[in-house]
Amino acid sequence: MFCEKAVELVRELHRMSDGQLPAFNEDGLRQVLQEMQTLYEQNQRDVNEVKSEGRADLIPSIKLRHCCLLRNQRCLTAYLYDRVLRIRALRWAYGSVLPGSVQFHMCAEELQWFSQYRKSLASFMRSLRDGGLDITQDMKPPKSLYIEVRCLKDHGEFEIDDGTVILLKKNSQVRAGNCFIHMSRPSPQTQHTTNARKASLTSCPAVVD
């Protein structure tokens, strides 16, 4: 029956859970393309007969085969596009280097696409701020709006965006929101708060209201 092989490709992906990439079904893809070539050639012959001999009885068959061609095309597009989305998600899950078991399931074109996507993502992250910003980290939002920040040297009074004035003294810990960390980054005089943020994330637990 027409389109069965194409539909099976889509079902093959549907049976896999998110985050998993099945082996590229090159044989199934080739069979669908061969079926499409056969349908196209049959339609071409029938269309020529309709034009030359006026055989209107062939028109329903031509329309049926044309619908099958479109359905096969949609299934192949869905199969390839879904695999690209899964491969893109693997970059965020595993990093710039995929495990060998994952690469084994990818075709040469998919490996090339992953390499280009990896380079594009790296270039974009380097363009964010001085020194770049790794947007693949800290994908989950914090459980609290506030964290404890340890000051590495004396700074004095510091006013945050809500108008609150806090005193930053060496080795003191203050309870502040992420807005305080964001405000302190641009200023060279408060560059040490960036280091304080790093220290707080590793040594100080988040404070929950």
Side-chain angles (χ1 to χ4, degrees):
M1 186 175 179
F2 295 142
C3 303
E4 281 188 351
K5 295 181 179 64
V7 173
E8 180 58 31
L9 287 177
V10 177
R11 288 174 178 168
E12 178 182 302
L13 282 178
H14 184 70
R15 287 191 292 265
M16 303 295 292
S17 61
D18 293 338
Q20 292 184 323
L21 183 70
F24 184 77
N25 194 340
E26 184 176 357
D27 184 61
L29 194 69
R30 184 182 297 108
Q31 291 179 24
V32 176
L33 292 175
Q34 290 175 350
E35 179 183 291
M36 294 177 69
Q37 181 66 26
T38 301
L39 290 171
Y40 177 78
E41 291 174 353
Q42 290 175 345
N43 265 7
Q44 284 292 96
R45 288 194 297 267
D46 287 354
V47 167
N48 291 334
E49 289 190 27
V50 170
K51 290 181 178 180
S52 61
E53 303 178 12
R55 294 195 51 186
D57 59 303
L58 295 178
I59 294 179
S61 299
I62 295 173
K63 290 183 177 180
L64 174 62
R65 285 192 289 265
H66 182 69
C67 289
C68 292
L69 281 169
L70 294 178
R71 184 174 179 83
N72 278 343
Q73 184 184 49
R74 288 196 297 268
C75 289
L76 289 184
T77 302
Y79 176 77
L80 296 174
Y81 183 65
D82 187 87
R83 288 184 61 86
V84 167
L85 293 181
R86 291 170 184 259
I87 293 172
R88 183 180 66 179
L90 291 173
R91 164 60 183 88
W92 293 76
Y94 289 102
S96 59
V97 179
L98 295 178
S101 58
V102 175
Q103 297 186 35
F104 181 74
H105 288 166
M106 299 165 61
C107 66
E109 290 75 14
E110 289 174 335
L111 288 171
Q112 183 179 4
W113 184 92
F114 176 80
S115 178
Q116 292 296 327
Y117 177 74
R118 179 185 60 189
K119 293 178 181 178
S120 298
L121 182 60
S123 176
F124 173 72
M125 291 191 295
R126 285 195 299 269
S127 68
L128 302 176
R129 295 175 34 202
D130 293 337
L133 176 65
D134 189 354
I135 61 176
T136 64
Q137 302 296 321
D138 302 324
M139 297 297 293
K140 295 182 179 180
K143 295 181 180 180
S144 172
L145 296 177
Y146 296 93
I147 58 175
E148 285 190 1
V149 179
R150 181 167 61 88
C151 189
L152 300 183
K153 65 179 183 179
D154 292 333
H155 178 74
E157 293 184 348
F158 188 90
E159 183 177 352
I160 57 180
D161 61 345
D162 63 358
T164 304
V165 177
I166 56 178
L167 181 62
L168 298 179
K169 298 180 64 176
K170 184 177 180 180
N171 294 327
S172 65
Q173 292 185 188
V174 294
R175 183 170 179 263
N178 290 332
C179 59
F180 164 69
I181 302 301
H182 176 72
M183 290 173 57
S184 62
R185 284 175 178 167
S187 174
Q189 296 180 351
T190 57
Q191 185 63 37
H192 63 277
T193 55
T194 301
N195 297 329
R197 177 179 183 271
K198 295 179 181 179
S200 67
L201 293 177
T202 57
S203 61
C204 299
V207 178
V208 182
D209 289 337

